[in-house]
């Protein structure tokens, strides 16, 4: 759940001379200038309004800006104009902008690195591929490079298919202990047609990419 809303922050207070409180008729009022700002989880994102009130120190009566009478209004407008909006009221906006910039940058670095991996395959590289032919939602599978031989790659397939991007095999999954040869161009084509979703190298054992399982010929039926 995202907590958001608006809040106020007092920017400046100053005594207001010769002003009679409409409630208690004392002469002890102050001008208060404050900012209204939008917050997300109490972190100020941006201010959207600067406003003024008159507060009586004797009875706490408040006069909102729209109800302040002429003459007094000008004194307050002058004060209001001199008060800048503090920069920290934009901290949330700054954080959001920084986060977007960071993820954009990190994403670009990732895809540059993966492109370099594809051009120079190493034994152990794991490719996550989204199949265009598979019609069910389980259309993602993995293949692992076992051997690089000239223009050919020898790969093993994962036994499970997945319904999205994964970076960890199911504990019951693994790469079959059989290999198939494919041409390096085939891999590059997968990448150009956006079927290559991720390339993993230097992964930890947490990923399960070292899991291997025995391949069994499918039982023949209808003899
Ligand atoms: Zn008063």
């Amino acid at each position: 759940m995202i907590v958001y809303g608006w809040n106020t922050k007092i920017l400046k207070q100053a005594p207001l001379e010769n002003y009679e409180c409409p409630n208690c008729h004392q002469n002890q009022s102050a001008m208060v200038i404050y900012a209204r700002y939008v917050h997300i989880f109490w972190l100020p994102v941006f201010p959207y309004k600067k406003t003024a009130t008159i507060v009586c120190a004797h009875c706490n009566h408040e006069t909102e800006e729209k109800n302040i009478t002429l003459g007094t209004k000008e004194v307050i407008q002058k004060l209001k104009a001199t008060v800048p909006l503090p920069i920290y009221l934009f901290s949330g906006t700054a954080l959001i902008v920084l986060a977007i910039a960071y993820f954009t940058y990190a994403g670009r670095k990732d895809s540059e690195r993966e492109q370099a991996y594809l051009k120079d395959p190493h034994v152990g590289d794991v490719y996550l591929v989204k199949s265009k032919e598979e019609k069910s939602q389980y259309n993602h599978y993995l293949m692992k490079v076992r051997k690089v031989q000239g223009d050919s790659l020898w790969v093993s397939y994962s036994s499970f298919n997945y319904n999205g991007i994964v970076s960890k095999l199911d504990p019951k999954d693994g790469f079959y202990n059989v290999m198939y040869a494919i041409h390096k161009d085939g891999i590059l084509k997968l990448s150009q047609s956006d079927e290559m979703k991720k390339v993993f190298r230097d992964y930890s054992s947490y990923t399960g990419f070292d899991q291997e399982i025995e391949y069994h010929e499918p039982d023949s039926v209808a003899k």
Side-chain angles (χ1 to χ4, degrees):
M1 190 182 71
I2 295 180
V3 178
Y4 65 96
W6 58 267
N7 229 328
T8 56
K9 165 82 191 160
I10 291 178
L11 302 177
K12 195 168 189 115
Q13 301 188 68
L16 183 59
E17 313 283 340
N18 309 316
Y19 179 83
E20 192 188 290
C21 171
N23 186 49
C24 69
H25 305 288
Q26 297 291 307
N27 213 325
Q28 300 175 29
S29 288
M31 305 178 273
V32 182
I33 313 292
Y34 57 92
R36 277 179 189 276
Y37 61 88
V38 174
H39 75 79
I40 297 177
F41 289 112
W42 300 279
L43 176 74
V45 180
F46 57 86
Y48 65 92
K49 196 181 181 189
K50 206 156 71 170
T51 172
T53 54
I54 297 172
V55 182
C56 173
H58 185 252
C59 73
N60 282 329
H61 180 267
E62 272 187 48
T63 308
E64 281 181 49
E65 190 171 9
K66 60 175 189 285
N67 300 328
I68 295 169
T69 47
L70 232 61
T72 313
K73 196 166 196 129
E74 278 130 35
V75 178
I76 287 187
Q77 294 289 359
K78 233 181 228 171
L79 178 68
K80 196 173 148 189
T82 64
V83 181
L85 281 168
I87 203 107
Y88 73 82
L89 289 181
F90 294 94
S91 359
T93 300
L95 271 183
I96 291 164
V97 169
L98 277 178
I100 290 170
Y102 172 77
F103 286 114
T104 308
Y105 172 80
R108 196 180 312 135
K109 279 280 152 213
D110 272 359
S111 73
E112 276 172 22
R113 196 174 53 227
E114 292 184 1
Q115 283 305 314
Y117 289 171
L118 287 173
K119 281 183 189 133
D120 176 29
H122 284 191
V123 170
D125 285 358
V126 170
Y127 303 144
L128 177 75
V129 182
K130 182 181 180 183
S131 164
K132 277 187 175 161
E133 283 118 52
E134 175 61 49
K135 295 298 174 219
S136 81
Q137 56 171 324
Y138 293 95
N139 53 3
H140 287 67
Y141 65 91
L142 297 106
M143 59 171 123
K144 184 174 181 177
V145 178
R146 299 289 198 174
K147 205 158 77 172
V148 185
Q149 202 173 46
D151 281 338
S152 294
L153 291 184
W154 289 85
V155 299
S156 298
Y157 292 93
S158 60
S159 77
F160 281 30
N161 275 22
Y162 296 86
N163 61 356
I165 307 264
V166 286
S167 47
K168 186 178 184 296
L169 290 191
D170 185 278
K172 291 199 272 315
D173 191 13
F175 291 97
Y176 284 123
N177 60 345
V178 290
M179 305 190 289
Y180 302 90
I182 46 177
H183 199 273
K184 276 183 183 173
D185 287 351
I187 296 294
L188 290 175
K189 261 181 210 141
L190 287 177
S191 162
Q192 283 152 8
S193 65
D194 202 32
E195 286 168 87
M196 181 67 73
K197 289 303 177 189
K198 226 144 179 43
V199 182
F200 302 95
R201 181 179 289 177
D202 302 325
Y203 40 80
S204 72
S205 58
Y206 167 82
T207 57
F209 292 163
D210 292 326
Q211 288 161 209
E212 194 169 288
I213 57 171
E214 190 99 5
Y215 181 76
H216 296 285
E217 286 293 336
D219 293 331
S220 49
V221 283
K223 270 200 172 150

